[in-house]
């Protein structure tokens, strides 16, 4: 079997003073942070699409990336070579999980039947490699955006034939995911939205999207797929408006259509920022509502308004994420690097530098967040800030015992309430202490 990443061995932890670009400075897989190892806390995954099958094309230029595993002319051979490269990469970088879309695994054939046969062959190939290596599938999904048949959406297409075609793709992707013991299945509604409301029946489209998800859940029950279902919100790109805009919009949608008990959320940093939120907000909102599932770990470029999928290096931002994840007691899913090297970083070893930077960033943040939460400095502050809700009038309100006229009587009998400082700067300086400890 060909070796694709020649000259690169197992990436090891060498500590924060190491200058070796192919070593971890903070990620030390078996080091314990609290009661779990870093590896158990972080559950990193490699994204098949950005790392192995994409060539770096953008709106203004062709692909630039050197990807020797894509050289074979035969699509199935190409897919097998790509799987070889993927398992070599995961082994050398020390990442246990991967994620894929059906279309990343092998190129589509002229007919659906032939595409499914290709998928079966490549899934069997990957299954053997998983057995031999112990690598695991964090989640699978179906690409319902790339082919031109999906230009007006998949589940929300005005044409029912396209809905049926998309359903066939999900059926296949779900059964492969189950066969590979996938721990989850993601729905990202890339073209489930609209370009203009002038040509859109939103009410029907939303209902159809819910019916589509319901059919998938029903099929999963039939085949005994026990993994988690995730919605991955994104407000726009490629469509002007997507129905899974953010976690709050997705939560309302799931509640309306009675799907809430079946889904959690896969939250992506760059999607959150496109929605005008921080990822901390999205994780927090999901956590307090019991729907935090998994994370697509990347970041946007603050100078660009569009979607850039950069490897995470903003330690402050990832520390805010790890606070949410630790407060959630961990994730049912993991941290999938839905991130790509820049198209100018076209060598295969650039893939290592991107992942090492991302893994070190999260490892450093895990330690900072753990230290901060262990100290209870934030919790003690929060407890004090909200103490008026524990007794007296606050407790009555929380317990639903208050009436509006009773509260009016209370306010008339007491002095005008006094405010306390919110102490934002103090709290930020506490965070800094743990970050740069
Ligand atoms: C696109 C995106 C997807 C999903 C899976 O913005 O994030 O790759 O993660 O379909
Ligand atoms: Co994503």
């Amino acid at each position: 079997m060909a070796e694709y990443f020649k000259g690169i061995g197992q990436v090891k932890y060498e500590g924060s003073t190491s200058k070796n670009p192919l070593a971890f400075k903070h990620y030390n897989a078996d080091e314990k942070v609290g009661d779990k190892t870093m590896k158990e806390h972080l559950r990193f995954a490699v994204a098949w699409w950005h790392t192995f099958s994409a060539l770096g094309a953008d709106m203004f230029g062709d692909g630039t990336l050197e990807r020797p595993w894509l050289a074979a002319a035969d699509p199935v051979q190409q897919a097998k070579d790509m799987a070889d490269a993927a398992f070599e990469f995961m082994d050398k970088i020390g990442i246990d999980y991967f994620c894929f879309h059906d279309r990343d695994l092998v190129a589509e054939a002229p007919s659906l039947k032939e595409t499914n046969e290709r998928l079966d062959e490549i899934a069997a190939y990957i299954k053997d490699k998983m057995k031999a290596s112990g690598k695991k599938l964090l989640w699978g999904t179906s690409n319902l955006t790339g082919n031109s048949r999906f230009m007006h959406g998949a589940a929300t297409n005005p044409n029912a034939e396209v809905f049926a075609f998309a359903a066939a793709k999900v059926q296949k992707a779900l059964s492969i995911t189950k066969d590979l013991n996938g721990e989850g299945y993601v729905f990202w509604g890339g073209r489930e939205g609209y370009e203009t409301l002038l040509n859109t029946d939103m009410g029907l489209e939303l209902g159809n999207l819910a019916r589509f998800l319901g059919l998938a859940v029903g099929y999963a029950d039939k085949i005994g797929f026990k993994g988690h279902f995730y919605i991955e919100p994104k407000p726009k790109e490629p469509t002007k408006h997507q129905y899974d805009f953010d976690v709050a919009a997705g939560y309302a949608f799931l509640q309306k259509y009675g799907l809430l008990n079946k889904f959690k959320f896969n939250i992506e940093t760059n999607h959150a920022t496109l929605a005008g939120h921080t990822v901390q907000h999205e994780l927090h909102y999901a956590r307090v509502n019991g729907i935090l599932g998994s994370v697509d770990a990347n970041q946007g470029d603050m100078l660009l308004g569009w979607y850039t999928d950069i490897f995470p290096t903003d330690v402050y931002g990832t520390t805010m994420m790890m606070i949410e994840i630790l407060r959630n007691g961990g994730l049912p899913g993991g941290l999938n690097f839905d991130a790509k090297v820049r198209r100018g970083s076209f060598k295969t070893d650039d893939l290592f530098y991107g992942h090492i930077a991302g893994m070190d960033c999260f490892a450093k943040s895990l330690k900072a967040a753990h230290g901060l939460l262990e100290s209870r400095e934030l919790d003690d502050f929060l407890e004090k800030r909200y103490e008026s809700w524990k007794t007296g009038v606050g407790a009555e309100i929380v317990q639903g015992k208050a009436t509006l006229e009773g509260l009016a009587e209370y306010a008339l009998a007491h002095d005008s309430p006094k405010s306390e400082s919110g102490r934002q700067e103090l709290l930020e300086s506490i965070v800094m202490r743990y970050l740069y400890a």
Side-chain angles (χ1 to χ4, degrees), residues 130-141:
M130 289 171 75
K131 243 183 241 156
S133 63
K135 301 293 173 204
K136 292 171 269 187
L137 174 59
L138 187 65
W139 50 259
T141 187

Side-chain angles (χ1 to χ4, degrees), residues 9-12 24 27 29 38-40 42-48 51-52 85-99 129-130 133-138 297 311-312 334-339 351-360 362:
Q10 186 80 47
V11 178
K12 297 204 179 84
F24 296 118
Y27 181 66
M38 284 197 182
K39 194 183 181 149
E40 289 164 340
L42 298 168
R43 290 158 59 90
F44 291 124
V46 177
W48 211 273
T51 307
F52 307 116
F87 280 82
E88 184 190 332
F89 181 79
M90 286 189 276
D91 188 35
K92 288 181 169 174
I93 194 89
I95 290 186
D96 285 343
Y97 289 91
F98 59 98
C99 300
K129 296 185 87 73
M130 289 171 75
S133 63
K135 301 293 173 204
K136 292 171 269 187
L137 174 59
L138 187 65
F311 278 93
L335 297 174
N336 168 44
F337 286 115
D338 193 355
L351 292 170
F352 281 86
Y353 301 134
H355 284 83
I356 289 170
M359 291 163 82
D360 270 341
F362 271 99

Side-chain angles (χ1 to χ4, degrees), residues 128 177 193 311 340 346 369:
D128 283 345
T177 300
F311 278 93
K340 60 188 178 200
F346 61 95

Side-chain angles (χ1 to χ4, degrees), residues 1-9 22 68 88 92 348-349 352:
M1 195 192 303
E3 187 185 7
Y4 290 104
F5 303 98
K6 287 204 185 79
I8 298 182
L22 285 167
E88 184 190 332
K92 288 181 169 174
T348 52
D349 55 357
F352 281 86

Side-chain angles (χ1 to χ4, degrees), residues 49 232 266 268 271 296 307 338:
W49 51 102
E232 182 179 322
N266 181 41
E268 178 163 330
H271 295 180
D296 269 10
Y307 188 57
D338 193 355

Side-chain angles (χ1 to χ4, degrees), residues 257-296:
Y257 292 101
L259 290 162
L260 196 54
N261 58 341
K262 298 289 183 189
F263 285 86
K264 291 194 183 324
F265 284 78
N266 181 41
I267 294 169
E268 178 163 330
T269 310
N270 203 173
H271 295 180
T273 46
L274 281 180
H277 301 308
T278 58
V279 66
Q280 177 193 13
H281 164 93
E282 289 290 79
L283 294 170
H284 193 105
Y285 186 94
R287 175 172 68 78
V288 300
N289 287 295
I291 48 176
L292 178 50
S294 203
V295 168
D296 269 10

